[in-house]
Short mmCIF file of all heavy atoms in Angstrom, two decimals:
data_model
loop_
_atom_site.label_atom_id
_atom_site.label_comp_id
_atom_site.label_asym_id
_atom_site.label_seq_id
_atom_site.Cartn_x
_atom_site.Cartn_y
_atom_site.Cartn_z
N ALA M 65 -9.82 -37.19 -16.67
CA ALA M 65 -11.19 -37.00 -16.19
C ALA M 65 -11.43 -37.90 -14.99
O ALA M 65 -12.04 -37.51 -13.98
CB ALA M 65 -12.20 -37.29 -17.29
N ALA M 66 -10.91 -39.13 -15.06
CA ALA M 66 -11.08 -40.07 -13.95
C ALA M 66 -10.36 -39.53 -12.72
O ALA M 66 -10.89 -39.57 -11.59
CB ALA M 66 -10.50 -41.45 -14.33
N ALA M 67 -9.15 -38.99 -12.93
CA ALA M 67 -8.37 -38.47 -11.81
C ALA M 67 -9.10 -37.30 -11.16
O ALA M 67 -9.16 -37.18 -9.92
CB ALA M 67 -6.99 -38.06 -12.26
N VAL M 68 -9.69 -36.44 -11.99
CA VAL M 68 -10.41 -35.28 -11.44
C VAL M 68 -11.58 -35.77 -10.57
O VAL M 68 -11.79 -35.28 -9.48
CB VAL M 68 -10.94 -34.37 -12.58
CG1 VAL M 68 -11.96 -33.37 -12.04
CG2 VAL M 68 -9.78 -33.62 -13.25
N SER M 69 -12.29 -36.78 -11.08
CA SER M 69 -13.46 -37.25 -10.30
C SER M 69 -13.00 -37.98 -9.02
O SER M 69 -13.67 -37.93 -8.01
CB SER M 69 -14.40 -38.10 -11.15
OG SER M 69 -13.77 -39.29 -11.53
N VAL M 70 -11.86 -38.64 -9.09
CA VAL M 70 -11.32 -39.27 -7.89
C VAL M 70 -11.05 -38.21 -6.81
O VAL M 70 -11.46 -38.36 -5.64
CB VAL M 70 -10.02 -40.05 -8.20
CG1 VAL M 70 -9.29 -40.41 -6.92
CG2 VAL M 70 -10.33 -41.29 -9.00
N ILE M 71 -10.39 -37.13 -7.24
CA ILE M 71 -10.07 -36.09 -6.26
C ILE M 71 -11.35 -35.47 -5.70
O ILE M 71 -11.47 -35.26 -4.50
CB ILE M 71 -9.20 -34.97 -6.92
CG1 ILE M 71 -7.84 -35.55 -7.27
CG2 ILE M 71 -9.05 -33.78 -5.97
CD1 ILE M 71 -6.93 -34.55 -7.91
N ARG M 72 -12.31 -35.28 -6.58
CA ARG M 72 -13.56 -34.69 -6.14
C ARG M 72 -14.19 -35.58 -5.07
O ARG M 72 -14.71 -35.09 -4.05
CB ARG M 72 -14.51 -34.55 -7.36
CG ARG M 72 -15.49 -33.41 -7.20
CD ARG M 72 -16.14 -33.05 -8.48
NE ARG M 72 -15.47 -31.99 -9.19
CZ ARG M 72 -15.40 -31.90 -10.52
NH1 ARG M 72 -15.90 -32.84 -11.28
NH2 ARG M 72 -14.80 -30.89 -11.09
N LYS M 73 -14.12 -36.88 -5.32
CA LYS M 73 -14.71 -37.81 -4.35
C LYS M 73 -13.97 -37.79 -3.03
O LYS M 73 -14.56 -37.82 -1.96
CB LYS M 73 -14.73 -39.22 -4.93
CG LYS M 73 -16.04 -39.47 -5.62
CD LYS M 73 -16.03 -40.67 -6.48
CE LYS M 73 -17.17 -40.56 -7.46
NZ LYS M 73 -16.79 -41.02 -8.81
N ARG M 74 -12.66 -37.74 -3.09
CA ARG M 74 -11.89 -37.70 -1.86
C ARG M 74 -12.23 -36.44 -1.05
O ARG M 74 -12.31 -36.47 0.17
CB ARG M 74 -10.40 -37.66 -2.17
CG ARG M 74 -9.87 -39.03 -2.53
CD ARG M 74 -8.36 -38.99 -2.66
NE ARG M 74 -7.94 -40.23 -3.26
CZ ARG M 74 -6.72 -40.42 -3.76
NH1 ARG M 74 -5.83 -39.44 -3.68
NH2 ARG M 74 -6.40 -41.56 -4.28
N LEU M 75 -12.45 -35.34 -1.79
CA LEU M 75 -12.81 -34.11 -1.10
C LEU M 75 -14.19 -34.25 -0.44
O LEU M 75 -14.38 -33.86 0.70
CB LEU M 75 -12.85 -32.95 -2.09
CG LEU M 75 -11.49 -32.49 -2.62
CD1 LEU M 75 -11.63 -31.66 -3.87
CD2 LEU M 75 -10.76 -31.73 -1.55
N ASP M 76 -15.14 -34.88 -1.17
CA ASP M 76 -16.48 -35.08 -0.61
C ASP M 76 -16.39 -35.96 0.64
O ASP M 76 -17.03 -35.67 1.66
CB ASP M 76 -17.39 -35.75 -1.65
CG ASP M 76 -17.80 -34.77 -2.71
OD1 ASP M 76 -17.60 -33.54 -2.49
OD2 ASP M 76 -18.29 -35.18 -3.76
N ILE M 77 -15.64 -37.02 0.53
CA ILE M 77 -15.51 -37.97 1.67
C ILE M 77 -14.99 -37.22 2.89
O ILE M 77 -15.43 -37.45 4.01
CB ILE M 77 -14.56 -39.14 1.29
CG1 ILE M 77 -15.21 -40.02 0.23
CG2 ILE M 77 -14.22 -39.94 2.53
CD1 ILE M 77 -14.26 -40.99 -0.40
N ASN M 78 -14.06 -36.28 2.66
CA ASN M 78 -13.48 -35.55 3.77
C ASN M 78 -14.26 -34.29 4.13
O ASN M 78 -13.78 -33.44 4.88
CB ASN M 78 -12.03 -35.18 3.46
CG ASN M 78 -11.15 -36.38 3.50
OD1 ASN M 78 -11.00 -37.03 4.52
ND2 ASN M 78 -10.53 -36.70 2.38
N ASN M 79 -15.45 -34.15 3.50
CA ASN M 79 -16.34 -33.04 3.83
C ASN M 79 -15.85 -31.67 3.39
O ASN M 79 -16.25 -30.67 3.97
CB ASN M 79 -16.65 -33.00 5.33
CG ASN M 79 -17.87 -33.80 5.63
OD1 ASN M 79 -18.81 -33.83 4.82
ND2 ASN M 79 -17.89 -34.47 6.76
N TYR M 80 -14.98 -31.63 2.39
CA TYR M 80 -14.60 -30.33 1.84
C TYR M 80 -15.56 -30.02 0.71
O TYR M 80 -15.22 -30.10 -0.48
CB TYR M 80 -13.17 -30.37 1.30
CG TYR M 80 -12.14 -30.66 2.36
CD1 TYR M 80 -11.28 -31.74 2.23
CD2 TYR M 80 -12.03 -29.86 3.50
CE1 TYR M 80 -10.31 -32.01 3.19
CE2 TYR M 80 -11.08 -30.13 4.45
CZ TYR M 80 -10.24 -31.20 4.29
OH TYR M 80 -9.31 -31.45 5.25
N THR M 81 -16.81 -29.66 1.07
CA THR M 81 -17.85 -29.61 0.05
C THR M 81 -17.76 -28.38 -0.85
O THR M 81 -18.32 -28.35 -1.94
CB THR M 81 -19.24 -29.63 0.72
OG1 THR M 81 -19.22 -28.70 1.79
CG2 THR M 81 -19.57 -30.99 1.22
N GLU M 82 -17.07 -27.29 -0.37
CA GLU M 82 -17.01 -26.11 -1.20
C GLU M 82 -15.79 -26.09 -2.13
O GLU M 82 -15.51 -25.10 -2.77
CB GLU M 82 -17.00 -24.86 -0.31
CG GLU M 82 -18.40 -24.51 0.18
CD GLU M 82 -18.36 -23.26 1.02
OE1 GLU M 82 -17.75 -22.27 0.57
OE2 GLU M 82 -18.92 -23.29 2.12
N ALA M 83 -15.09 -27.21 -2.14
CA ALA M 83 -13.86 -27.26 -2.92
C ALA M 83 -14.14 -27.19 -4.40
O ALA M 83 -15.20 -27.59 -4.87
CB ALA M 83 -13.10 -28.51 -2.58
N GLU M 84 -13.16 -26.66 -5.14
CA GLU M 84 -13.25 -26.65 -6.60
C GLU M 84 -12.12 -27.47 -7.16
O GLU M 84 -10.99 -27.38 -6.69
CB GLU M 84 -13.09 -25.21 -7.10
CG GLU M 84 -14.37 -24.46 -7.25
CD GLU M 84 -14.12 -23.12 -7.88
OE1 GLU M 84 -13.64 -23.11 -9.05
OE2 GLU M 84 -14.37 -22.11 -7.23
#
Side-chain angles (χ1 to χ4, degrees):
Chain M
V68 167
S69 65
V70 166
I71 292 181
R72 208 166 266 146
K73 267 166 199 140
R74 282 187 192 167
L75 289 164
D76 286 346
I77 291 167
N78 289 299
N79 269 325
Y80 299 124
T81 46
E82 281 181 49
E84 269 186 61

